[in-house]
Amino acid sequence: MDLPKKTKAAILFEQKKPLRIENISLPEELSYGQVLVKINYSGICGSQIGEIDGVKGEDKYLPHLLGHEGSGIVLKVGEGVSTVKVDDEVILHWREGDGINSALPTYMLDDISVNAGWVTTFNQYAVISENRLTSISKGIDQVQAPLLGCALTTGFGVIENDANLKIGESVVIFGSGGVGLSMIQAAKLRGAYPIIAVDKYEGRLELAEKCGADYSLLSNDIDLVLKEIINLTNNSLDVFIDNTGVPQVIESGYSLVKKTGKLILVGVPKFDKSIRIHSLPMHFGKTIKGSEGGNCNPAIDIPKLTTLLDKGRLDITDQVTKICGLNDINDAISDMKTGKANGRIIIDLNTT
């Protein structure tokens, strides 16, 4: 087959502005360790919304491509690539897996350079670093498969690696979007109790209960939520996981967990916001830990999760609540920000 020379892509040109849909030129050659992938489906993660909104501050790499969880098919491999081959079905992920960490690709829009990281998924074709790809067996649902690139691996990694949640331990998962729902499912499989989901949108809480939450609480009145959590856990909460990055939520979580409890930070506060805590309890067993993608290893964890899916031990059907084409990506992002979308939105790159 003739390899593509151009790709349609959603590009961030300016922070806090809608993405622009453009046809851009692919790099003419693959560098050492690079792989050309036809992307079939991509998830939208809260991290991309953070990039668009400038949560971490000024973006020095504009214009650039976005997206870090997807599913696709390998079209061509560059020199040195050994972990994937042409025609492999693959998961695209942002955490490093096996293989080469390649140079970054540059795309062109007329005479304008368009930057990209080691993985991007808001484009129909992409040049990906080998270590951001993991092969999966044919037959895995390609629509659901993008969740293996971030939502599932992060959610399960946070529960298993960061929280090290044990049977019978109580956990609050504050923020029940795509990653939060995966945490709930992981906590259920680990035998945690009670699993308490908190979110500001009723639709997400309904979905959280489907995924295994024992209790769901609306976060509109934070003081009332804290009282309810104290009541449900007999004032002995083991783990509080924050997915929001809201300083008040983080501070509340620190105060809620018991003397030897754990506060796990997944959400990132805006760059100009700080949290305030009294550190004395940390001298007596209370801990705070920041998570980077659940410290997962995609090369190990994705096969584990696909086995659970294949054997019926894990069902993520309910997590995908909307599918749309690339041209509708800005509407999809808006739906995520406003809570109109309860679970993961999947972009069908085969549909414009």
Side-chain angles (χ1 to χ4, degrees):
M1 63 175 287
D2 293 331
L3 296 176
K5 298 183 182 299
K6 286 184 173 289
T7 182
K8 196 168 189 177
I11 307 170
L12 179 63
F13 279 86
E14 187 177 353
Q15 289 176 304
K16 300 181 181 180
K17 297 289 185 181
L19 304 181
R20 280 171 47 185
I21 310 299
E22 302 281 358
N23 281 299
I24 57 177
S25 297
L26 290 158
E28 293 183 2
E29 299 290 338
L30 293 178
S31 297
Y32 184 80
Q34 290 182 338
V35 180
L36 178 62
V37 178
K38 178 186 183 297
I39 300 175
N40 288 323
Y41 299 94
S42 170
I44 303 176
C45 179
S47 294
Q48 281 88 65
I49 295 175
E51 287 183 79
I52 295 167
D53 289 346
V55 168
K56 295 181 180 180
E58 180 186 0
D59 191 330
K60 299 179 181 179
Y61 299 99
L62 298 174
H64 66 75
L65 303 181
L66 292 167
H68 68 205
E69 62 172 28
S71 61
I73 298 174
V74 173
L75 298 182
K76 185 178 180 180
V77 299
E79 183 181 354
V81 173
S82 61
T83 63
V84 297
K85 62 184 184 303
V86 172
D87 291 333
D88 275 3
E89 293 187 4
V90 290
I91 300 298
L92 297 86
H93 45 79
W94 67 274
R95 290 276 298 176
E96 291 185 30
D98 289 347
I100 298 163
N101 193 61
S102 74
L104 298 177
T106 299
Y107 301 76
M108 297 297 296
L109 175 61
D110 298 325
D111 58 349
I112 300 172
S113 294
V114 179
N115 297 311
W118 290 283
V119 58
T120 60
T121 60
F122 292 176
N123 36 312
Q124 293 174 316
Y125 298 93
V127 174
I128 308 295
S129 178
E130 180 187 13
N131 65 355
R132 265 66 175 190
L133 295 170
T134 298
S135 290
I136 56 172
S137 60
K138 295 186 186 298
I140 298 294
D141 188 328
Q142 285 270 307
V143 176
Q144 298 177 16
L147 276 67
L148 292 160
C150 178
L152 278 171
T153 42
T154 297
F156 274 68
V158 168
I159 294 298
E160 184 174 2
N161 302 324
D162 296 324
N164 191 21
L165 197 64
K166 294 180 172 57
I167 293 172
E169 287 191 328
S170 54
V171 59
V172 167
I173 297 169
F174 208 112
S176 299
V179 174
L181 294 173
S182 296
M183 292 176 187
I184 290 166
Q185 290 187 297
K188 194 73 173 179
L189 285 173
R190 300 277 285 196
Y193 184 85
I195 302 167
I196 304 169
V198 186
D199 203 279
K200 60 183 177 180
Y201 300 113
E202 290 184 358
R204 290 182 182 174
L205 291 177
E206 290 174 5
L207 194 51
E209 290 181 354
K210 283 186 179 181
C211 288
D214 297 298
Y215 302 97
S216 59
L217 305 175
L218 274 172
S219 62
N220 299 338
D221 186 333
I222 189 67
D223 291 330
L224 184 60
V225 167
L226 300 184
K227 290 178 181 177
E228 192 65 24
I229 291 172
I230 290 170
N231 179 53
L232 291 172
T233 60
N234 295 317
N235 199 22
S236 185
L237 175 62
D238 294 295
V239 179
F240 186 104
I241 302 171
D242 172 62
N243 295 316
T244 69
V246 176
Q248 184 185 8
V249 173
I250 295 171
E251 293 163 1
S252 298
Y254 180 77
S255 69
L256 275 176
V257 293
K258 66 184 185 182
K259 184 177 179 180
T260 56
K262 301 171 186 174
L263 170 62
I264 310 297
L265 307 182
V266 180
V268 179
K270 195 173 179 181
F271 71 97
D272 58 353
K273 300 295 183 183
S274 299
I275 60 171
R276 296 184 63 180
I277 61 167
H278 183 50
S279 63
L280 181 62
M282 297 180 69
H283 295 271
F284 299 97
K286 187 174 289 195
T287 59
I288 301 176
K289 184 174 184 179
S291 177
E292 185 190 22
N295 288 301
C296 72
N297 181 338
I300 294 173
D301 296 330
I302 287 176
K304 286 181 180 179
L305 289 167
T306 56
T307 297
L308 291 176
L309 289 167
D310 185 56
K311 300 302 181 181
R313 296 293 303 276
L314 177 63
D315 184 357
I316 58 174
T317 305
D318 289 334
Q319 287 201 42
V320 176
T321 56
K322 183 176 181 179
I323 302 172
C324 64
L326 187 60
N327 286 341
D328 297 318
I329 193 168
N330 287 307
D331 290 336
I333 290 169
S334 176
D335 286 349
M336 286 184 65
K337 293 174 71 172
T338 60
K340 187 175 180 180
N342 297 325
R344 221 32 160 203
I345 297 178
I346 298 296
I347 304 301
D348 183 351
L349 276 304
N350 300 297
T351 303
T352 56

